[in-house]
Amino acid sequence: MQTPKLPGPARVILRLLPADDRDVVYGDFLQSHAEHRRRSGKGAAWIRTCADVVLFFAVFTWSTNVRSFLEVIGALGEVRIAVRRLFRERVSTATSLLILGFGMAVATSVFSVLYAVVLSPLPFDAPDRLVVVWTGHAREVALDGNSYQNMASWSEAPSLAETGFFYRPEFTQRTVTGGSTPYRVQIGAVDAGFFSTLGVAPVLGRAIEPEDELTRAPVVVLSHDFWLRVFGGDASAIGATIELDGSMSSVIGVMPRELSLPMAGTQLWEPHSRWTAYPDSLGPRTEDLFGMVGRLTPAASLPTLRAELAAIDRDLASSYPAGFDGYTAVAGPLVDEVVGTDIRDSIWLIVAAAVALFFSVSANVGQLWTTRGLGRAHELAVRSALGASRGRLGGMMFLEAALLSLAAAVLALSLAGPLLEVLVGRIPIRIPRIEEVGLQPPVVVFTLLVGTLTPPLVALVPMVRASFPRLVVASGRAPGLGGRGGARTVLAVSQLGLATVLVVTGSVLVRSLDRAATGDRGVDTEGAWVARVTLPSEGYPTSEERWRFFNGFAGEVGALNGVQDVAVLSDFVIRRHAAAELHVPDRDSPADIAVMADAVLPGFEDALGLRLVSGRALTTDDRWRTGNGWPVAVNRTLAERVWPGQDAVGQEFMLGSRREGKPWFRVVGVVEDDRRRGLDRATWGHMYHVLVNDGMDIVVRTESEAASLRLVIDRLRSIDPTIASPVFVPAAELLDETIALRRTLTWLVSFAGLSTVALALLGVFGLLTEGVAARRSEIGLRVALGAGRRAIVLSVLRRGMVLTAVGVGVGLVGAMGTGLIVREFTFETSAWDPLSMLATAVTIGALVAVATVVPAHRAATIDPVRAIQAEP
Amino acid sequence: MSLKWVVVVDGVKLGELELLVVLAALRLGEERASPVSIGAEILETSGRRVQRATVYVLLKRLEEKGCVETFLGEALAERGGRPPRMVRVTEEGRFAVRAVRRTLEAMWGDLDPEVV
């Protein structure tokens, strides 16, 4: 006999039922289906059964869901009770709300920064597959970019689905001319693959195409910002023309707002061939003019790409021994390149400090709640006697705590907005992607979730344990605080420990900052101002014209009233990586030193306050190569590293690979080192040669700054009004920027440290005060039995000191551990600096002693008669 | 008869339909009481049509309250080899309906049949 079946639709619907009901109900319907068939025939039974099943399903789900809905309402009743209780205890509720709200606001702000800068994906398609490839060197001589030929070789790696490249952005600025006031814009000089590799499509018009590259087409793609500012967001911008450095370019497209590569603040993109000779002529493999982005194939990973690149490098090294000596391809995630590893690491350290602060806040509020729980011991005892389980009471207290934390989280979210504005506005460094910081959905969810759950969880054990009714409740005495309160002691000790870790870290960072900030930079910044002057390439096509301009301009500025000194050099603030490798005639391998070539005008040493160590200063005659090499000056570091124990003056060397026929340089003078890169960074070798580039830094030392600087700017405009007006910044401020990240980090970690100390003191104070209150009758008895005040005070003090000793001890051990991380951020200071540790321990000990005074005084002034009478 | 709630001892509330289900199960006996037969019994005796799904939901609720127990019966060919769910009224269930009866009878007491 064939197994009977229900109609198809009925079977499908019944499959939606819970498993334990499904079979039985199916059977029921089979039976009634057979009945229907017998009575009214096949077709009618089919319809009838289907209708029955639909009805069954509707009623069944409705009834079960209504039921669970009613259960939720029941739970809401609990919520209502909890809210009412929170309102009844207004003072303690408001205090917890404020402390928690503050702690959460700090944590939320820091997390917003972390999220926006480090965690949130780059605004590109599949951003985790985007990589950058740079040139590394076996001898630690970092190249600033890649050569065209090497990039072409590396693009062959099978793991790379697509690649694009850009010309080094520090070289590519233009002046927008044609308007009343010319101004500088940052250009991204890129190839056609650049946009498609990133997966960015223009919002309007088209991107740069291979055809534009080949023909050196005068076309530009606008950034979203430029489009809004200059064209008012008008679609007719496509096809319009812009005058750049005196020649016309036509607008072909507009990029989305998110794209700000290869450099933050990029306004326009042009075909790279507008700046370079490629691909018509291929430069040497040792040049460093390009950055390269790549997209991994879905199957590939960074390690496989690295292995493939290493294989390509081995081939290159054997095929081009002269041109590819010691270089390697270094691949890393694009996001690290965009954010910068030092900033990323600093942000993580700040987040760790904020987490510690938040934990401390939770612990403090936990102490407060425990006190409240104690006050309710009687109520809880009654509930327990009436049959409420331990879990139910715990759940009730958890619900109450979570509600309070939720309110605090909402408060924190409203505080975090203004706090973020202050935080972001005050940070003295340019952090990439900082403009994306805000209360984004993941940040809000994070705050609500973590903020609401953490404090009750931290406080749960002591809360429930201290408040859980025991037999002693019957006598009306507060339970759980036989002068100790184990779980709360653990909280207080861990607070002290955290505070110790943060303060040790903070003071190590402060000492590092002090070393990095106050040492001699070797440059005289007194009254010195710096501005960048960049010549439009159209007006000054030859180096002779550029020379004439800068030389003449420097002379005129030097003659101005109030101007004491003028220096012109390629980079006052060193923005580039050190580049070239250095060869000397009688040695085969290059010297192991990073060398930077600085273009200068004669007289720069005097204006910067650099002492001449030996030889002579550079003069205008040194512009030209003479029969025996090009006369240059070098700094002391270069001289001592390359010619140790010898006089560098008269020595010859060459930068870059020696086989490429580059000029030999001859040292005519050695000048003192300076630490413009920052005291906390190694001094590079510097070679100064008399030369000018398109853009030069002008350093002006003045007596009365404002008036003189105005004169300088006016003089520049009278010489050439097409040059963008320079912006003068104090030299000291520019040098300070090199330690801005360190300063910010130190400030934030110290702030967190001091806050945790304050919270820990509050915690210890509360614990001791309540300990004294709970031991009131015992102390009264002891006094009555003849114990002196001194002994009573000492017993309280001793307890405070034991807490401190354990807490600080644990903290110091913790600080030893965190030192492994902190040492990455120190300078001329050990991360395990004994002085910082000792000072922290002594300071926290002294502060706890002060916090002990009030409870000790209370204990000492207990009146034995009244204390014993009060005992029930 | 239109009772909203019938309150029984031990804080167990027995709804009107729940009462009907327990009574029907008692009338059928544990050999015959299943969700389908309970629905049919209520219809036949009281003239009220109770949805089969409602009977299932009511039985679940009664089971949670401890008034009934369910178990799987014998698998039959006409049910496609699937066992029916059978219902047995527990001691608590009997106690509950008895209490309802006592409450109602006490309330009626010697009320004039003309009034109600």
Side-chain angles (χ1 to χ4, degrees):
Chain A
M1 183 184 138
Q2 206 191 346
T3 320
K5 268 187 177 177
L6 285 182
R11 284 206 305 274
V12 171
I13 292 170
L14 286 181
R15 219 167 282 156
L16 300 174
L17 286 177
D20 50 338
D21 290 315
R22 202 181 301 142
D23 257 16
V24 174
V25 174
Y26 195 99
D28 289 350
F29 276 109
L30 264 187
Q31 246 177 322
S32 48
H33 185 56
E35 187 70 24
H36 293 323
R37 276 177 79 155
R38 237 191 344 267
R39 280 197 201 153
S40 25
K42 211 171 166 184
W46 195 93
I47 293 170
R48 177 88 196 267
T49 301
C50 283
D52 280 353
V53 168
V54 169
L55 187 66
F56 180 92
F57 184 77
V59 172
F60 189 84
T61 14
W62 170 253
S63 308
T64 20
N65 287 345
V66 165
R67 185 98 193 280
S68 46
F69 177 73
L70 287 176
E71 273 160 12
V72 171
I73 296 287
L76 280 181
E78 295 271 320
V79 171
R80 220 174 42 226
I81 294 169
V83 168
R84 207 181 297 151
R85 198 174 297 118
L86 285 176
F87 270 101
R88 206 166 50 216
E89 291 157 21
R90 270 182 218 102
V91 176
S92 110
T93 302
T95 316
S96 318
L97 204 60
L98 283 181
I99 299 182
L100 265 186
F102 163 73
M104 271 187 229
V106 170
T108 308
S109 313
V110 173
F111 181 70
S112 314
V113 173
L114 174 75
Y115 180 78
V117 177
V118 182
L119 297 183
S120 70
L122 293 173
F124 306 125
D125 186 31
D128 50 326
R129 296 220 307 271
L130 290 173
V131 295
V132 280
V133 184
W134 290 108
T135 307
H137 195 282
R139 277 180 301 275
E140 293 296 311
V141 182
L143 276 190
D144 230 8
N146 311 316
S147 73
Y148 190 85
Q149 292 200 65
N150 286 349
M151 286 194 309
S153 307
W154 292 332
S155 302
E156 305 293 317
S159 287
L160 289 172
E162 239 181 313
T163 58
F165 64 83
F166 54 89
Y167 193 58
R168 268 169 50 184
E170 62 266 37
F171 297 152
T172 55
Q173 291 105 27
R174 288 196 193 277
T175 306
V176 178
T177 45
S180 57
T181 326
Y183 57 93
R184 303 288 295 167
V185 285
Q186 176 66 43
I187 306 279
V190 301
D191 75 335
F194 180 77
F195 298 106
S196 59
T197 302
L198 293 177
V200 179
V203 291
L204 209 63
R206 64 176 179 89
I208 289 165
E209 282 163 13
E211 185 66 18
D212 303 319
E213 257 182 82
L214 290 173
T215 59
R216 299 192 152 73
V219 293
V220 289
V221 175
L222 311 182
S223 71
H224 201 267
D225 177 59
F226 190 90
W227 179 50
L228 289 185
R229 226 160 14 85
V230 177
F231 292 95
D234 190 344
S236 68
I238 305 299
T241 53
I242 307 178
E243 193 182 312
L244 292 171
D245 289 339
S247 69
M248 304 307 268
S249 290
S250 56
V251 176
I252 55 169
V254 177
M255 280 295 152
R257 188 190 302 277
E258 300 79 41
L259 184 66
S260 61
L261 289 177
M263 187 188 217
T266 298
Q267 301 280 342
L268 305 170
W269 289 270
E270 288 185 339
H272 71 88
S273 50
R274 302 277 295 160
W275 295 82
T276 65
Y278 308 96
D280 298 355
S281 73
L282 306 174
R285 284 188 176 267
T286 46
E287 68 177 7
D288 56 350
L289 298 175
F290 294 97
M292 175 173 169
V293 290
R295 177 173 288 278
L296 292 175
T297 57
S301 68
L302 210 47
T304 56
L305 172 65
R306 284 180 180 140
E308 290 164 10
L309 289 174
I312 293 174
D313 288 343
R314 279 192 296 276
D315 283 355
L316 289 176
S318 55
S319 333
Y320 307 95
F324 196 82
D325 182 20
Y327 293 110
T328 52
V330 181
L334 177 65
V335 66
D336 282 1
E337 186 64 27
V338 170
V339 176
T341 46
D342 51 343
I343 288 183
R344 185 196 60 197
D345 295 347
S346 300
I347 289 178
W348 275 113
L349 189 66
I350 295 166
V351 166
V355 166
L357 176 66
F358 182 58
F359 177 84
S360 201
V361 161
S362 304
N364 248 34
V365 171
Q367 300 273 23
L368 206 66
W369 288 336
T370 311
T371 320
R372 248 171 42 161
L374 288 180
R376 280 163 49 193
H378 188 74
E379 174 205 335
L380 293 171
V382 172
R383 278 171 177 263
S384 170
L386 288 178
S389 68
R390 189 181 261 248
R392 194 179 159 87
L393 289 184
M396 199 180 77
M397 302 188 72
F398 183 88
L399 179 66
E400 221 173 288
L403 275 177
L404 189 59
S405 308
L406 180 69
V410 173
L411 178 70
L413 283 177
S414 56
L415 285 181
L419 197 67
L420 263 180
E421 254 169 56
V422 173
L423 191 72
V424 172
R426 291 282 164 83
I427 289 178
I429 34 170
R430 227 213 80 74
I431 295 181
R433 308 219 279 163
I434 196 82
E435 62 282 351
E436 295 166 31
V437 168
L439 293 178
Q440 294 173 39
V443 177
V444 174
V445 169
F446 171 83
T447 304
L448 288 179
L449 214 67
V450 175
T452 306
L453 292 182
T454 311
L457 284 179
V458 169
L460 191 64
V461 174
M463 229 165 44
V464 173
R465 276 185 55 179
S467 58
F468 198 77
R470 299 187 195 152
L471 281 180
V472 280
V473 173
S475 72
R477 243 173 47 182
L481 253 193
R484 297 200 178 272
R488 300 181 59 197
T489 309
V490 170
L491 277 190
V493 165
S494 50
Q495 274 186 299
L496 282 169
L498 274 180
T500 307
V501 172
L502 281 185
V503 172
V504 169
T505 306
S507 53
V508 166
L509 290 179
V510 166
R511 294 195 65 184
S512 301
L513 175 66
D514 187 52
R515 292 286 170 85
T518 53
D520 184 12
R521 292 295 195 92
V523 179
D524 183 9
T525 55
E526 184 71 31
W529 292 73
V530 183
R532 186 86 177 164
V533 173
T534 312
L535 302 179
S537 51
E538 308 295 320
Y540 303 84
T542 67
S543 74
E544 186 55 36
E545 279 159 303
R546 294 196 286 272
W547 166 266
R548 213 177 296 132
F549 169 83
F550 276 113
N551 203 27
F553 177 58
E556 286 193 39
V557 169
L560 286 174
N561 207 2
V563 173
Q564 293 168 318
D565 268 319
V566 185
V568 176
L569 70 166
S570 46
D571 295 276
F572 175 76
V573 177
I574 298 168
R575 302 176 185 89
R576 295 180 280 145
H577 298 120
E581 56 183 45
L582 186 149
H583 294 266
V584 290
D586 50 348
R587 271 174 264 167
D588 274 343
S589 58
D592 188 7
I593 182 172
V595 184
M596 178 132 181
D598 295 24
V600 296
L601 285 191
F604 76 100
E605 312 98 320
D606 289 343
L608 295 182
L610 295 173
R611 196 172 57 84
L612 195 63
V613 178
S614 62
R616 63 171 177 84
L618 294 174
T619 67
T620 24
D621 294 336
D622 297 327
R623 267 185 83 200
W624 310 109
R625 200 186 309 198
T626 58
N628 47 359
W630 190 346
V632 297
V634 296
N635 68 345
R636 182 201 281 272
T637 295
L638 190 146
E640 287 176 356
R641 292 272 293 278
V642 180
W643 300 282
Q646 303 173 42
D647 188 5
V649 175
Q651 303 279 8
E652 290 188 338
F653 66 94
M654 175 189 276
L655 292 181
S657 182
R658 61 198 306 179
R659 295 174 184 83
E660 289 163 24
K662 286 195 176 170
W664 286 98
F665 298 109
R666 186 167 47 83
V667 180
V668 297
V670 178
V671 296
E672 193 51 77
D673 283 336
D674 66 68
R675 310 296 298 270
R676 274 177 291 156
R677 291 185 67 224
L679 290 168
D680 48 355
R681 288 171 205 174
T683 305
W684 283 332
H686 279 271
M687 179 199 84
Y688 303 99
H689 53 153
V690 180
L691 184 79
V692 291
N693 302 330
D694 296 0
M696 299 290 279
D697 280 349
I698 311 272
V699 185
V700 180
R701 193 187 308 283
T702 64
E703 282 159 0
S704 59
E705 47 216 39
S708 311
L709 294 179
R710 188 72 252 164
L711 287 177
V712 174
I713 293 168
D714 288 347
R715 181 53 50 99
L716 181 68
R717 284 204 70 97
S718 69
I719 297 173
D720 186 346
T722 66
I723 295 173
S725 192
V727 180
F728 279 97
V729 180
E733 206 170 282
L734 283 176
L735 292 186
D736 207 46
E737 274 177 18
T738 59
I739 54 162
L741 179 62
R742 181 181 290 283
R743 194 186 292 281
T744 311
L745 179 71
T746 306
W747 191 85
L748 289 174
V749 171
S750 304
F751 168 76
L754 295 180
S755 310
T756 34
V757 169
L759 291 167
L761 289 179
L762 220 61
V764 172
F765 174 80
L767 193 66
L768 292 180
T769 307
E770 269 156 35
V772 168
R775 286 169 55 210
R776 205 177 146 76
S777 52
E778 176 212 323
I779 294 172
L781 197 63
R782 286 173 62 185
V783 173
L785 291 176
R789 304 266 178 222
R790 202 181 138 77
I792 301 293
V793 169
L794 276 181
S795 79
V796 178
L797 274 182
R798 200 180 306 124
R799 180 148 161 70
M801 284 302 118
V802 169
L803 278 180
T804 315
V806 177
V808 172
V810 169
L812 288 181
V813 173
M816 300 263 183
T818 51
L820 289 172
I821 301 161
V822 176
R823 69 176 168 185
E824 303 293 320
F825 302 92
T826 58
F827 168 64
E828 286 186 2
T829 310
S830 164
W832 298 275
D833 179 30
L835 193 64
S836 297
M837 296 205 174
L838 187 69
T840 305
V842 170
T843 312
I844 292 186
L847 288 171
V848 171
V850 172
T852 322
V853 166
V854 173
H857 176 74
R858 274 197 197 164
T861 51
I862 286 174
D863 180 352
V865 180
R866 289 170 69 183
I868 297 170
Q869 272 177 349
E871 179 79 346
Chain B
M1 188 169 95
S2 176
L3 290 174
K4 187 71 184 162
W5 288 106
V6 182
V7 182
V8 184
V9 286
D10 272 0
V12 175
K13 287 174 182 172
L14 215 48
E16 176 205 358
L17 281 177
E18 287 170 349
L19 180 62
L20 292 184
V21 167
V22 177
L23 289 173
L26 283 170
R27 289 169 70 91
L28 288 164
E30 76 182 63
E31 287 80 25
R32 289 200 293 142
S34 74
V36 178
S37 62
I38 286 174
E41 178 68 21
I42 294 175
L43 178 64
E44 205 169 295
T45 317
S46 71
R48 285 184 64 157
R49 180 178 292 281
V50 182
Q51 286 299 329
R52 191 181 296 180
T54 311
V55 178
Y56 267 96
V57 174
L58 288 170
L59 281 173
K60 269 185 202 297
R61 242 182 259 169
L62 285 166
E63 219 174 351
E64 279 167 27
K65 290 177 183 177
C67 292
V68 300
E69 285 168 0
T70 63
F71 57 98
L72 293 181
E74 203 182 324
L76 299 169
E78 65 201 60
R79 298 176 51 91
R82 291 172 176 81
R85 189 172 289 283
M86 304 306 286
V87 180
R88 180 192 302 134
V89 179
T90 61
E91 238 354 272
E92 287 85 0
R94 288 171 199 275
F95 186 75
V97 287
R98 229 177 281 137
V100 175
R101 181 176 198 158
R102 265 203 308 277
T103 310
L104 293 179
E105 282 175 354
M107 291 305 285
W108 256 291
D110 30 322
L111 269 177
D112 187 351
E114 295 287 302
V115 181
V116 282

